[in-house]
Every structure is written in C-alpha cells, then in structure tokens.
Amino acid sequence: MTDTIKIHVLHTGLVKVDKALPFHGLYRNPLAFTGLVRSEANQVTLPVSSYLIEHPKGLVLIDTGWNKLVRTSNWRELGPQVQINTAYLPAGWAIDERLAALGYRPQDLDYVLLSHLHCDHVSGLKHVAAAKHILVSEPEWRVANRLPLVYLPHEWRGVNVQTYRYAQARVGPTGEAYDVFGDDRVLQVHTAGHATGMSATLARGGDGRYVLLAADVGYANRSWEEMLTPGICTNRKAAITSLGWVREMAHDPNCIEALANHNTTTDPHVITLTY
Ligand SMILES: [Zn+2]
C-alpha cells in the first residue's frame, strides 16, 4: 500500500483538425469543423492525452490514444473520418509503449476508463484489451453503438467493454458521477455536451486538494477561460453547463491542476496527491 495517488499525464498521439473543431463560435462557417472546403492554413495539430493513475487500490488508465495502425494507414483505422481528423503516432507513443516505459503490461491495469468513445480516445483500446476491467458510461455506450458515422464501433469490436451507471454524487454539472473504488477519490463525473455520456475524471487527495482531467469538455484550458465549447456537441446547452462547472473547479484554490485532453501547452508530467 502506498499513501499517494500518482497521475502520469501521457501523450498517446497527435491529431490534426480544423481550427473550428476545438473552438466553436470563433469561426462563422457552421460546418467548418468538418474541414471540408477549408484549406491547410486552417489546420491545427493538437496532442492526444491519456492518463495513468497509480491508486493504492489499483492501476487505472484513462483513455487510450491512437492505434498503431495509423502509422501506416489513417484510412484503415479512421475511414471517412480522415476528413475530420488526421492521426499521428510517433514511435514510443502508443499506449502499450508508454505503459512499458513505466514498467507496466496491459494486464497490470485494473481499470481502463474511457471518457467517451470518440476515435482519438478509444483507437488504442485493442493495445490494452488485456486489462482486468474496461469501462465506459452506459449512456455513452448506448449512443456510440447507434451512431456509426460519428463513432467507429470497429475500435471496440471483440473487446470486453462493460458499462457503469452514473449515481447521485453531489459533484459535477448534473450531480452525477461514478465512484471507481468506492473511496470518493477517483470519480468519473458526468459532463455531457460534447458527447452524451462523457465523463471527466476527478482525482481527490485526502487533504481535499484535487486534479481534474476534463476530457473534451474543453479542447484547451483556454476553452473554460473564454467559455468556448467544442465544435462537435450533441447538446450545446449541456456543453456550456459542463464547461462552466470545469471553470469553477479549475479556479478553486484546492485545484492543483485542471487539464484539457488536447491542450497544446500541456507536456507529459507526473502529479502526486496524498491519499
Ligand atoms: Zn471527443
């Protein structure tokens, strides 16, 4: 038993998208995020983050980055979605390669928690399919298997994905969360808007200080400073509510760090909380 919670911020890919995808409202063309009829000058390349949490009760991975297949063919992994995302995965950046560098094998993972099932978060899932539990929220699972144009179900085909239900938790924009270890320290907080069942991860230390891994509630930390929701949203109103919650959490003095998954100025690093 250790008396700390350690969070490794990992980069498990890069994604090139139209500038309008991260920041809705900054660009006038309502379909700009698709990248269709938009030039290379409108493209930005962002990191794709995953997070490894070493908790006294188990090892948790949040999201999985890109599959190694994108190194040879974006088309085979993404199909028509290459219109929206171009994937890059430098050598050593795949999630299983990142884990190996830290001395872990996929089967050492107690939980893989998927914030949501968009391709840049779940593409690498097959590299960690040997994990003991792979979990996503029930509402996200339901929607993702019904919208094959927005999601890529082949990315989880053949993988044993289980679902959890959000419960009343007095935290988050809707007051709903899933407590992973039942100790109130690692919570998957329901943050709908960008994706229906999306969760942000709230990691809390024994001293009340916390780290918020905000998934795609905002693409960058700038998103909650300027209240810019992502270009892709299933529910814009819910997205603004979720972003407002992240903003308040990020500005709280007890917040050690709030991290947007695709923030360009976030480098890989380690954060330690007291358990
Ligand atoms: Zn997303």
Side-chain angles (χ1 to χ4, degrees):
M1 277 291 268
T2 58
D3 56 0
T4 60
I5 298 173
K6 224 184 224 187
I7 302 167
H8 298 259
V9 179
L10 308 171
H11 282 176
T12 47
L14 296 163
V15 64
K16 190 166 76 174
V17 295
D18 192 281
K19 277 180 190 164
L21 190 132
F23 306 119
H24 176 79
L26 282 192
Y27 304 90
R28 263 185 251 162
N29 174 356
L31 289 176
F33 73 84
T34 62
L36 298 166
V37 306
R38 297 262 291 172
S39 80
E40 181 72 18
N42 291 309
Q43 303 273 299
V44 285
T45 301
L46 313 171
V48 174
S49 304
S50 298
Y51 311 96
L52 183 71
I53 304 177
E54 294 171 306
H55 178 286
K57 292 182 182 172
L59 194 60
V60 180
L61 176 69
I62 313 286
D63 291 345
T64 65
W66 291 124
N67 193 285
K68 287 177 222 172
L69 199 55
V70 305
R71 287 174 177 157
T72 47
S73 171
N74 257 250
W75 176 262
R76 279 172 62 204
E77 176 64 7
L78 301 174
Q81 282 204 22
V82 291
Q83 285 287 351
I84 299 178
N85 317 270
T86 307
Y88 303 92
L89 188 64
W93 287 38
I95 186 56
D96 56 331
E97 296 167 344
R98 291 295 197 201
L99 291 174
L102 292 167
Y104 292 117
R105 302 161 304 166
Q107 56 267 43
D108 297 330
L109 294 168
D110 293 287
Y111 293 96
V112 175
L113 305 174
L114 300 163
S115 66
H116 63 307
L117 295 174
H118 285 165
C119 59
D120 50 329
H121 297 259
V122 74
S123 172
L125 183 60
K126 288 182 183 173
H127 299 321
V128 291
K132 296 180 187 90
H133 302 282
I134 297 169
L135 297 178
V136 69
S137 77
E138 192 274 330
E140 183 65 11
W141 181 248
R142 199 167 6 98
V143 170
N145 284 287
R146 271 205 317 239
L147 294 173
L149 290 176
V150 180
Y151 293 90
L152 299 172
H154 76 85
E155 292 183 329
W156 54 83
R157 196 164 294 138
V159 179
N160 183 19
V161 179
Q162 298 166 298
T163 60
Y164 59 80
R165 281 175 191 278
Y166 291 116
Q168 290 305 313
R170 272 182 294 169
V171 66
T174 63
E176 293 177 316
Y178 170 69
D179 184 341
V180 180
F181 292 106
D183 63 355
D184 218 23
R185 299 300 165 83
V186 180
L187 299 172
Q188 289 296 81
V189 178
H190 192 187
T191 48
H194 169 66
T196 304
M198 191 166 74
S199 56
T201 302
L202 178 61
R204 294 203 267 220
D207 57 3
R209 305 189 75 203
Y210 60 81
V211 172
L212 181 59
L213 308 173
D216 287 359
V217 174
Y219 267 68
N221 292 44
R222 175 187 168 196
S223 303
W224 53 80
E225 297 309 331
E226 299 173 35
M227 291 304 290
L228 298 168
T229 51
I232 291 178
C233 281
T234 54
N235 183 329
R236 188 74 51 190
K237 236 170 115 177
I240 294 169
T241 302
S242 293
L243 199 57
W245 175 73
V246 169
R247 178 187 169 92
E248 183 173 292
M249 292 293 283
H251 289 179
D252 187 293
N254 281 320
C255 183
I256 298 171
E257 287 190 45
L259 295 169
N261 188 292
H262 305 292
N263 192 47
T264 47
T265 55
T266 300
D267 285 319
H269 63 289
V270 181
I271 311 162
T272 303
L273 290 165
T274 57
Y275 186 69

